[in-house]
Amino acid sequence: MLSARNQFKGTVKSIKLGSVMAEVVVAVGDLEFVSAITRGSVEGLNLKVGDEVLAVVKATEVMVAKD
């Protein structure tokens, strides 16, 4: 059970593995969530493109700006 209220069912669209970190893109309808997680987490969860996952958002703030 997760305490985060913002949980979105989606599909892994892409995974870019680095030596330590990974970028995982999760498609939720027309939206995409991009997550930076450890490579170890990707391997531990055995994540693959096409997997059904939950995108769990728990943050105090999200900021995006453009001049």
Side-chain angles (χ1 to χ4, degrees), residues 2 7 14-16 46 58 64:
L2 296 171
Q7 300 180 28
S14 66
I15 300 170
K16 294 180 186 174
N46 194 28
K58 186 163 178 132
V64 177

Side-chain angles (χ1 to χ4, degrees), residues 29-43:
D30 292 336
L31 299 174
E32 291 184 349
F33 289 84
V34 181
S35 178
I37 64 176
T38 64
R39 182 183 180 122
S41 292
V42 171
E43 293 168 350

Side-chain angles (χ1 to χ4, degrees), residues 11-56:
T11 305
V12 176
K13 183 175 178 181
S14 66
I15 300 170
K16 294 180 186 174
L17 294 175
S19 58
V20 175
M21 298 298 293
E23 179 185 272
V24 180
V25 178
V26 177
V28 178
D30 292 336
L31 299 174
E32 291 184 349
F33 289 84
V34 181
S35 178
I37 64 176
T38 64
R39 182 183 180 122
S41 292
V42 171
E43 293 168 350
L45 290 167
N46 194 28
L47 286 181
K48 298 179 292 301
V49 171
D51 282 352
E52 296 294 318
V53 295
L54 279 178
V56 181

